[in-house]
Amino acid sequence: MSRTVQEALVAATTDWPTNGRPENPRAWLITVATRRLIDEVRSESARRQREDRLMFGSPPAELSRRPGDEHDPDRDDTLILLLLCCHPALTSPSQIALTLKAVGGLSTAEIASAFFVPESTMAQRVSRAKQRIREAGATLAMPPAEEIGDRLRAVLHVLYLIFNEGYTTSSGTQINRTDLTREAIRLTRELRRLRPGDGEVQGLLALMLLTEARRAARVAADGELVSLADQDRSRWDADAIAEGVALITDALARGPVGAYQLQAAIAAVHDEAPSAAETDWPQVLALYQLLDRIAPNPMATVNRALAVAMVQGPAVGLGLLASLDSDERVSRHHRLYAMRGHLLQLAGSPAEARDAFEEAARRTASAPEKRYLLRRARTCVPTDS
């Protein structure tokens, strides 16, 4: 990461909140459902369907546009509906559930499955969420600027889920879905226009750009996945990297630092490294340690284990992974096994690494990831064979 970004990070850390950590919403459980959020967002008929889904059964005066608010064909209804579903009167799980119902068109049963609750429980939750929005006098219009901040965390989380699902699809035969990543970036740009001084909005946009910049190099000529270390960096989008680095440098300089900013800073370190061998791993590790301080998350710990291994040795990284074995949020996730396989390979334990990669392949629902993991398993050849 450039010196300007490092200096900005130091300045930003002085403004850390000292009275607690940001919430870690349960809504991360529903990543698999977000693939359907953007499939129908652009057409006029889809817009009407989304509005009908939210407003069905509600008196027109309770969920309608404000008087004189004529429909503007250029208005971004998707962002407006996201903001409406993330009304501050709702809890975080209710915000995400209502977003999936109204924007994504998921059935109550599908949402209940994603949250691991009975369908009747989810039906009551969605019904109560609609009732609270009606009681709050909300309308299908852009909320006042002073109210957007109260809804921001949930909106950012939904956009983050959409982007992640587009960049690495969680199931099926596709490696990625550019319609999802582009839509997430578009909506985040629009959100930044509404909130130009918000560091986390800017951080999320930077993270998306710095990640999307590598997309062309993630796929080989034969259509197979390519790891970050093996990517042809000349194929990375230099303009997107430059924009992302500028955004995160500016956001960190203004502070206070947030989770999306730190993830963007990590992405900037990788994107600015001339080669995988020249990656500033101590800097990456320091950033992950800061991220763990303000927004602990088990998947971030999985990624931090690689930085630990590169700085302190594979055995230390494997020890960190072992601490996640009892964490139900990640203990059965294929990425935990994939990272364990990688660190075991670095540690010179090919047979154990092969077992870990094969287990990871069994646990993923993504066909491209499965093939990639099985290829990694085949590279793990015991020295005595």
Side-chain angles (χ1 to χ4, degrees):
M1 185 165 52
S2 63
R3 178 164 296 278
T4 53
V5 176
Q6 295 180 45
E7 292 170 349
L9 178 63
V10 172
T13 57
T14 62
D15 294 320
W16 272 344
T18 58
N19 58 347
R21 296 172 174 173
E23 293 179 6
N24 181 19
R26 290 175 52 207
W28 71 273
L29 293 170
I30 60 172
T31 302
V32 69
T34 62
R35 298 194 308 277
R36 294 173 55 181
L37 271 173
I38 302 303
D39 287 348
E40 54 172 328
V41 297
R42 292 299 176 86
S43 69
E44 177 68 12
S45 63
R47 179 189 65 79
R48 293 182 183 279
Q49 290 172 10
R50 291 196 307 277
E51 294 177 7
D52 290 344
R53 280 197 291 267
L54 184 60
M55 297 170 65
F56 181 73
S58 305
E62 292 181 313
L63 280 176
S64 60
R65 299 185 186 92
R66 292 178 178 136
D69 183 18
E70 297 180 357
H71 179 64
D72 178 358
D74 296 325
R75 190 180 68 174
D76 198 331
D77 285 319
T78 306
L79 184 58
I80 292 173
L81 193 53
L82 277 172
L83 287 163
L84 178 60
C85 292
C86 295
H87 195 281
L90 306 179
T91 64
S92 177
S94 294
Q95 290 170 335
I96 302 297
L98 189 57
T99 298
L100 293 174
K101 180 77 172 177
V103 183
L106 273 68
S107 69
T108 303
E110 288 173 316
I111 302 171
S113 177
F115 275 84
F116 303 105
V117 299
E119 183 176 352
S120 59
T121 300
M122 184 53 64
Q124 292 175 356
R125 182 178 297 176
V126 171
S127 178
R128 286 195 300 267
K130 291 181 180 180
Q131 181 63 30
R132 285 177 182 145
I133 287 179
R134 289 194 292 268
E135 291 172 351
T139 62
L140 191 61
M142 186 64 70
E146 62 272 16
E147 292 184 10
I148 293 178
D150 294 333
R151 314 180 189 197
L152 201 56
R153 177 175 294 171
V155 172
L156 290 176
H157 189 66
V158 170
L159 292 172
Y160 180 73
L161 291 177
I162 293 171
F163 180 86
N164 282 347
E165 182 59 35
Y167 192 72
T168 302
T169 54
S170 57
S171 63
T173 60
Q174 292 178 278
I175 290 177
N176 53 45
R177 288 186 55 185
T178 57
D179 59 327
L180 293 182
T181 55
R182 288 171 180 167
E183 182 68 5
I185 291 172
R186 184 185 73 82
L187 289 170
T188 307
R189 286 192 187 279
E190 180 64 16
L191 191 59
R192 181 174 176 247
R193 186 185 67 80
L194 296 173
R195 301 276 297 183
D198 193 290
E200 279 292 78
V201 174
Q202 194 161 313
L204 179 58
L205 179 57
L207 174 61
M208 290 178 177
L209 290 170
L210 290 163
T211 305
E212 181 71 359
R214 310 177 200 139
R215 181 173 53 81
R218 291 182 71 228
V219 184
D222 59 2
E224 295 301 306
L225 273 172
V226 181
S227 69
L228 178 62
D230 295 328
Q231 288 175 17
D232 178 359
R233 300 186 178 213
S234 68
R235 299 183 63 196
W236 288 0
D237 187 335
D239 290 339
I241 292 173
E243 183 182 1
V245 169
L247 285 168
I248 189 55
T249 301
D250 178 67
L252 290 173
R254 288 185 283 106
V257 71
Y260 294 119
Q261 295 169 59
L262 287 172
Q263 291 179 74
I266 292 167
V269 174
H270 287 294
D271 285 14
E272 291 191 311
S275 67
E278 296 172 273
T279 301
D280 187 347
W281 284 109
Q283 176 81 322
V284 172
L285 178 56
L287 289 166
Y288 270 121
Q289 289 169 336
L290 298 181
L291 181 61
D292 183 63
R293 172 176 170 177
I294 69 168
N297 180 282
M299 196 55 70
T301 302
V302 171
N303 295 328
R304 177 160 60 96
L306 176 59
V308 169
M310 300 303 291
V311 176
Q312 301 173 8
V316 184
L318 286 166
L320 180 58
L321 290 183
S323 70
L324 298 173
D325 287 342
S326 60
D327 191 326
E328 294 182 356
R329 296 171 296 173
V330 74
S331 61
R332 292 184 292 274
H333 201 287
H334 74 277
R335 289 183 184 171
L336 175 61
Y337 287 88
M339 183 62 74
R340 180 172 284 125
H342 182 64
L343 298 193
L344 285 166
Q345 197 170 29
L346 291 177
S349 301
E352 295 176 72
R354 181 182 58 209
D355 291 343
F357 282 129
E358 289 176 347
E359 184 62 29
R362 282 191 288 270
R363 290 173 181 268
T364 182
S366 166
E369 282 194 329
K370 185 182 295 290
R371 292 194 301 271
Y372 169 77
L373 290 165
L374 290 175
R375 287 202 315 274
R376 290 292 307 271
R378 289 193 293 271
T379 68
C380 300
V381 181
T383 55
D384 58 352
S385 63

